[in-house]
């Protein structure tokens, strides 16, 4: 069976660590699926651009593409920016837009692994309060998803889990750290950045974690994140998920 090209769509950043991290993640995806052609495109700041990659693929005679948003929540970029870029793709390309990465149990596993790598002892889980620190969004749906993830994660054995946001809504990371200090049974506080790559907002999260006991690294090229990209790709071209029509090109797949 012919496999569509996987186009990973990242936001992009002026911070060079962002693109480096995205490329490291994509290399891991290629290693998991050596029979799949994997390309990377950026919405802003970095090259190649999404439109540039699509034009190149069309010129090469590629017909089928799965466009996978490298996003943790279905907010503005997934609902508006990416569909707009894909609608302008060259004629002849059949494009499926895959679902965003989150929420997923694989992401919770990756978050925990990052905390342990930062020095947290798994034996202390029941006495540790965790700040789930997201970049934030003006989209109420995305904010609600982060709150739901925090509640779900709390039930896996942590003493307490509080969401926090680096932009838009409150609370900020430092506010959530202070709130957890007051929770009965919390002996230490850890901050888990729910972000994929370094940049301006992850740096803000790190500054807000100054009074925490543990600060985890970003998710980056975690094995679980790479596995999740492969899963979203395979879901997008599974039987029954047909390419979208040229004049109504990009509905998001749930």
């Amino acid at each position: 069976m012919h496999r569509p090209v996987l186009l990973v769509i990242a936001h992009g950043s002026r911070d060079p660590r962002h693109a480096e991290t995205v490329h490291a993640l994509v290399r891991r995806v290629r290693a998991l699926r050596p029979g799949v052609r994997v390309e990377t495109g950026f919405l802003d700041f970095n090259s190649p651009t999404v439109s540039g990659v699509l034009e190149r693929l069309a010129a090469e005679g590629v017909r089928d593409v799965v466009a996978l948003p490298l996003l943790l929540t279905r907010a503005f970029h997934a609902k508006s920016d990416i569909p707009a870029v894909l609608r302008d793709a060259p004629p002849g390309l059949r494009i499926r837009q895959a679902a965003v990465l989150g929420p997923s149990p694989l992401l919770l596993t990756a978050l925990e692994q990052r905390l342990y790598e930062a020095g947290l002892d798994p034996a202390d889980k029941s006495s540790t309060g965790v700040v789930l620190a997201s970049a934030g969004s003006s989209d109420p749906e995305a904010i609600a998803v982060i709150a739901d993830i925090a509640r779900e994660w709390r039930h896996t054995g942590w003493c307490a889990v509080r969401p926090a946001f680096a932009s838009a809504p409150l609370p900020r990371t430092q506010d959530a750290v202070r709130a957890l200090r007051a929770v009965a049974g919390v002996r230490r506080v850890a901050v888990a950045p729910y972000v994929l790559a370094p940049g301006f907002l992850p740096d803000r999260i790190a500054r807000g974690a100054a009074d925490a006991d543990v600060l985890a690294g970003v998710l980056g090229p975690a094995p679980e994140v790479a596995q999740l990209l492969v899963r979203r790709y395979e879901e997008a071209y599974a039987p029954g998920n047909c390419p979208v029509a040229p004049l109504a090109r990009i509905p998001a797949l749930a």
Side-chain angles (χ1 to χ4, degrees), residues 149-176:
I149 293 171
R151 283 191 290 270
E152 178 183 348
W153 204 16
R154 162 70 179 80
H155 295 311
T156 66
W158 297 103
C159 185
V161 179
R162 296 286 179 89
F165 307 95
S167 66
L170 297 174
R172 296 288 185 258
T173 302
Q174 57 267 33
D175 302 325

Side-chain angles (χ1 to χ4, degrees), residues 43 71 74-87 97 139 250 252:
L43 291 173
L71 300 169
R74 189 172 176 270
F76 181 78
H77 293 305
K79 294 177 179 179
S80 180
D81 285 354
I82 291 176
V85 172
L86 298 182
R87 276 194 296 269
Q97 181 176 334
D139 188 307
I250 310 294

Side-chain angles (χ1 to χ4, degrees), residues 18-203:
H18 176 91
E20 291 168 3
T21 302
V22 170
H23 290 312
L25 175 58
V26 168
R27 285 194 295 272
R28 179 155 262 168
V29 172
R30 289 190 181 113
L32 288 175
R33 287 294 183 274
V36 175
R37 179 176 175 180
V38 185
E39 298 282 348
T40 308
F42 295 90
L43 291 173
D44 205 355
F45 302 115
N46 302 107
S47 59
T49 63
V50 176
S51 57
V53 174
L54 291 171
E55 289 169 4
R56 174 163 51 83
L57 291 175
E60 294 175 9
V62 170
R63 295 296 305 278
D64 295 298
V65 176
V66 169
L68 199 162
L70 197 58
L71 300 169
L72 295 174
T73 58
R74 189 172 176 270
F76 181 78
H77 293 305
K79 294 177 179 179
S80 180
D81 285 354
I82 291 176
V85 172
L86 298 182
R87 276 194 296 269
D88 290 335
L93 283 178
R94 294 186 296 237
I95 302 175
R96 299 169 173 89
Q97 181 176 334
V100 298
L101 299 181
S104 168
L106 282 169
L107 292 174
L108 294 182
T109 299
L111 285 168
E112 291 201 5
Q113 185 59 36
R114 288 293 188 242
L115 286 169
Y116 300 146
E117 291 169 358
L120 189 67
D121 191 327
D124 295 329
K125 187 173 180 178
S126 62
S127 58
T128 299
V130 180
V131 177
L132 179 68
S134 166
S137 172
S138 59
D139 188 307
E141 178 187 345
I143 297 304
V145 166
I146 298 300
D148 288 343
I149 293 171
R151 283 191 290 270
E152 178 183 348
W153 204 16
R154 162 70 179 80
H155 295 311
T156 66
W158 297 103
C159 185
V161 179
R162 296 286 179 89
F165 307 95
S167 66
L170 297 174
R172 296 288 185 258
T173 302
Q174 57 267 33
D175 302 325
V177 169
R178 284 194 293 267
L180 283 172
R181 293 287 186 202
V183 174
V186 170
R187 297 180 181 176
R188 66 196 55 77
V189 175
V191 174
Y194 190 62
V195 292
L196 287 166
F200 176 76
L201 292 179
D203 284 349

Side-chain angles (χ1 to χ4, degrees), residues 2 8 41 48 67-69 71 86 90 97 145 147 150 156 172 203-204 213 220 224-225 234 241 249:
H2 170 70
V8 177
L68 199 162
L71 300 169
L86 298 182
Q97 181 176 334
V145 166
T156 66
R172 296 288 185 258
D203 284 349
R204 180 180 287 178
D213 301 293
E224 296 84 2
V225 178
E234 293 176 343
N241 288 342
R249 189 176 275 275

